[in-house]
Amino acid sequence: MADVPTLLVLDAEPLPRLGRLTGQVRVLHTDEASLPARLPQADVLLVWDFASHAVRAAWPGEGPRPRWVHTASAGVDHLMCPELAASDTVVTNARGIFDEPIAEYVAALVLAMAKDLPRTVELQRRGEWRHRESRRVAGTRAVVVGSGPIGRAITRTLKALGMTTAIVGRVPRTGIHGPEDLDRLLARADWVIAAAPLTEQTTGMFDLRRFGVMQPSARFVNVGRGPLVVEDALVRALERRWIAGAALDVLTAEPLAPDSPLWQVPGLLISPHMSGDTVGWRDELGAQFVDLFERWAAGRPLKNVVDKQRGYVPGH
């Protein structure tokens, strides 16, 4: 197979299904420890272990580097480093796989908080019959921060629930607000959904000041990246009842340690970075990469090409 390109896979279980590429590529597998030594052998790198930061650490080393890197995730912050950003290597991501599942998950969280479902489960376990009133979501206001495919899918889904929505992106354009409108929108929002990519501009954007801008009845959901949120500030906002509740599917440190105080914060729902992971999602990720590889091997333009300076795929 001397005439075929070499694909290096940064492994995670279960391994990707690449059978359709048999005869088209020489596949090598690596773990984090052996990645620096194997990286120079690869024409293409598939970052299947999308939770790993090994690429960011190994990339500045000696020897040639792959011409194309694909990550089986929407975010690319886990692999981007100055040397990769400055190189000629093309980076692609899994844009399109997670949009609708994450939107459904956000809708589930919104309904769970509005209908007080966590309290219902707790009371059932205690065998306690306690009638309460719940909240309607139709007619409430939601602000979605992040105007990529995931943010737009969330907006569509929330609109279907009868909510009034506003979406905030990096730059203002038709139907999308710019960052300068964010504080004004937060001050009127019943629901604030963070779905932005992690960049220098978005890191820590939800801090003590931003939580202070929100209404006492507002609820906050993060399905973007953990470091979008200053977690100590969120804890303070919840404990002082500056906001009514929050849900985090992504956190600064993952997995969250069993002894983390975040588990015990009143009004905070925590899930283990699972909002986009529906049954069959790994097969979809594998099929997407195979399609991209066949385009690349045929010399056709790749889809989902990341702007390495911005840290995401530019969209409409």
Side-chain angles (χ1 to χ4, degrees), residues 94-104 149-150 153-154 156:
R95 178 183 173 116
I97 298 295
F98 301 108
D99 308 353
E100 298 301 332
I102 291 178
E104 292 176 0
I150 292 173
I154 292 169
R156 290 192 301 270

mmCIF file of all heavy atoms in Angstrom, residues 94-104 149-150 153-154 156:
data_model
loop_
_atom_site.group_PDB
_atom_site.id
_atom_site.type_symbol
_atom_site.label_atom_id
_atom_site.label_comp_id
_atom_site.label_asym_id
_atom_site.label_seq_id
_atom_site.Cartn_x
_atom_site.Cartn_y
_atom_site.Cartn_z
ATOM 1 N N ALA A 94 -16.927 18.123 12.829
ATOM 2 C CA ALA A 94 -18.135 17.302 12.647
ATOM 3 C C ALA A 94 -19.393 18.158 12.553
ATOM 4 O O ALA A 94 -20.471 17.732 12.967
ATOM 5 C CB ALA A 94 -18.260 16.301 13.788
ATOM 6 N N ARG A 95 -19.270 19.321 12.022
ATOM 7 C CA ARG A 95 -20.416 20.217 11.838
ATOM 8 C C ARG A 95 -21.563 19.474 11.152
ATOM 9 O O ARG A 95 -21.375 18.783 10.168
ATOM 10 C CB ARG A 95 -19.990 21.414 10.995
ATOM 11 C CG ARG A 95 -21.065 22.425 10.658
ATOM 12 C CD ARG A 95 -20.454 23.488 9.750
ATOM 13 N NE ARG A 95 -21.425 24.423 9.221
ATOM 14 C CZ ARG A 95 -21.451 25.732 9.485
ATOM 15 N NH1 ARG A 95 -20.563 26.245 10.308
ATOM 16 N NH2 ARG A 95 -22.338 26.523 8.929
ATOM 17 N N GLY A 96 -22.766 19.626 11.695
ATOM 18 C CA GLY A 96 -23.946 19.027 11.104
ATOM 19 C C GLY A 96 -24.448 17.780 11.803
ATOM 20 O O GLY A 96 -25.626 17.430 11.669
ATOM 21 N N ILE A 97 -23.586 17.112 12.567
ATOM 22 C CA ILE A 97 -23.992 15.871 13.225
ATOM 23 C C ILE A 97 -24.816 16.153 14.483
ATOM 24 O O ILE A 97 -25.784 15.448 14.783
ATOM 25 C CB ILE A 97 -22.766 15.014 13.594
ATOM 26 C CG1 ILE A 97 -21.992 14.615 12.336
ATOM 27 C CG2 ILE A 97 -23.188 13.773 14.387
ATOM 28 C CD1 ILE A 97 -22.749 13.704 11.396
ATOM 29 N N PHE A 98 -24.454 17.187 15.210
ATOM 30 C CA PHE A 98 -25.006 17.383 16.546
ATOM 31 C C PHE A 98 -26.116 18.429 16.625
ATOM 32 O O PHE A 98 -26.703 18.611 17.702
ATOM 33 C CB PHE A 98 -23.881 17.784 17.515
ATOM 34 C CG PHE A 98 -22.781 16.768 17.605
ATOM 35 C CD1 PHE A 98 -21.544 17.016 17.044
ATOM 36 C CD2 PHE A 98 -22.982 15.562 18.244
ATOM 37 C CE1 PHE A 98 -20.515 16.088 17.127
ATOM 38 C CE2 PHE A 98 -21.978 14.617 18.339
ATOM 39 C CZ PHE A 98 -20.737 14.880 17.778
ATOM 40 N N ASP A 99 -26.410 19.111 15.541
ATOM 41 C CA ASP A 99 -27.298 20.272 15.596
ATOM 42 C C ASP A 99 -28.663 19.937 16.193
ATOM 43 O O ASP A 99 -29.080 20.522 17.213
ATOM 44 C CB ASP A 99 -27.513 20.864 14.196
ATOM 45 C CG ASP A 99 -26.202 21.148 13.476
ATOM 46 O OD1 ASP A 99 -25.138 21.013 14.105
ATOM 47 O OD2 ASP A 99 -26.260 21.497 12.296
ATOM 48 N N GLU A 100 -29.388 19.030 15.554
ATOM 49 C CA GLU A 100 -30.746 18.718 16.003
ATOM 50 C C GLU A 100 -30.774 17.998 17.349
ATOM 51 O O GLU A 100 -31.623 18.313 18.201
ATOM 52 C CB GLU A 100 -31.490 17.913 14.934
ATOM 53 C CG GLU A 100 -31.675 18.641 13.608
ATOM 54 C CD GLU A 100 -32.454 19.940 13.754
ATOM 55 O OE1 GLU A 100 -33.277 20.049 14.691
ATOM 56 O OE2 GLU A 100 -32.243 20.857 12.926
ATOM 57 N N PRO A 101 -29.873 17.022 17.603
ATOM 58 C CA PRO A 101 -29.888 16.399 18.934
ATOM 59 C C PRO A 101 -29.665 17.395 20.068
ATOM 60 O O PRO A 101 -30.331 17.309 21.111
ATOM 61 C CB PRO A 101 -28.743 15.379 18.850
ATOM 62 C CG PRO A 101 -28.677 15.017 17.402
ATOM 63 C CD PRO A 101 -28.969 16.295 16.674
ATOM 64 N N ILE A 102 -28.737 18.335 19.885
ATOM 65 C CA ILE A 102 -28.494 19.319 20.944
ATOM 66 C C ILE A 102 -29.707 20.225 21.109
ATOM 67 O O ILE A 102 -30.098 20.574 22.231
ATOM 68 C CB ILE A 102 -27.214 20.130 20.654
ATOM 69 C CG1 ILE A 102 -25.992 19.224 20.807
ATOM 70 C CG2 ILE A 102 -27.104 21.331 21.589
ATOM 71 C CD1 ILE A 102 -24.665 19.901 20.491
ATOM 72 N N ALA A 103 -30.324 20.597 19.995
ATOM 73 C CA ALA A 103 -31.530 21.424 20.077
ATOM 74 C C ALA A 103 -32.632 20.715 20.851
ATOM 75 O O ALA A 103 -33.332 21.326 21.680
ATOM 76 C CB ALA A 103 -32.006 21.792 18.674
ATOM 77 N N GLU A 104 -32.810 19.420 20.599
ATOM 78 C CA GLU A 104 -33.804 18.650 21.346
ATOM 79 C C GLU A 104 -33.463 18.617 22.836
ATOM 80 O O GLU A 104 -34.347 18.710 23.703
ATOM 81 C CB GLU A 104 -33.879 17.222 20.796
ATOM 82 C CG GLU A 104 -34.452 17.111 19.396
ATOM 83 C CD GLU A 104 -34.402 15.688 18.869
ATOM 84 O OE1 GLU A 104 -33.918 14.791 19.604
ATOM 85 O OE2 GLU A 104 -34.832 15.467 17.723
ATOM 86 N N PRO A 149 -24.655 26.442 13.234
ATOM 87 C CA PRO A 149 -25.752 25.502 12.993
ATOM 88 C C PRO A 149 -26.435 25.021 14.266
ATOM 89 O O PRO A 149 -27.650 24.828 14.282
ATOM 90 C CB PRO A 149 -25.066 24.345 12.261
ATOM 91 C CG PRO A 149 -23.844 24.927 11.667
ATOM 92 C CD PRO A 149 -23.398 26.001 12.600
ATOM 93 N N ILE A 150 -25.672 24.828 15.336
ATOM 94 C CA ILE A 150 -26.275 24.373 16.588
ATOM 95 C C ILE A 150 -27.169 25.462 17.174
ATOM 96 O O ILE A 150 -28.307 25.215 17.566
ATOM 97 C CB ILE A 150 -25.193 23.933 17.589
ATOM 98 C CG1 ILE A 150 -24.492 22.666 17.086
ATOM 99 C CG2 ILE A 150 -25.800 23.694 18.976
ATOM 100 C CD1 ILE A 150 -23.296 22.252 17.919
ATOM 101 N N ALA A 153 -30.319 25.735 15.128
ATOM 102 C CA ALA A 153 -31.241 24.617 15.370
ATOM 103 C C ALA A 153 -31.960 24.796 16.705
ATOM 104 O O ALA A 153 -33.166 24.519 16.821
ATOM 105 C CB ALA A 153 -30.478 23.292 15.350
ATOM 106 N N ILE A 154 -31.238 25.260 17.721
ATOM 107 C CA ILE A 154 -31.870 25.522 19.019
ATOM 108 C C ILE A 154 -32.953 26.586 18.867
ATOM 109 O O ILE A 154 -34.061 26.446 19.401
ATOM 110 C CB ILE A 154 -30.810 25.972 20.041
ATOM 111 C CG1 ILE A 154 -29.862 24.814 20.383
ATOM 112 C CG2 ILE A 154 -31.474 26.506 21.311
ATOM 113 C CD1 ILE A 154 -28.640 25.232 21.174
ATOM 114 N N ARG A 156 -34.721 27.373 16.215
ATOM 115 C CA ARG A 156 -35.897 26.815 15.529
ATOM 116 C C ARG A 156 -36.746 25.979 16.475
ATOM 117 O O ARG A 156 -37.983 26.058 16.466
ATOM 118 C CB ARG A 156 -35.461 25.957 14.331
ATOM 119 C CG ARG A 156 -34.882 26.735 13.174
ATOM 120 C CD ARG A 156 -34.761 25.847 11.944
ATOM 121 N NE ARG A 156 -33.921 24.675 12.154
ATOM 122 C CZ ARG A 156 -32.604 24.645 11.941
ATOM 123 N NH1 ARG A 156 -31.971 25.755 11.536
ATOM 124 N NH2 ARG A 156 -31.913 23.541 12.133
#
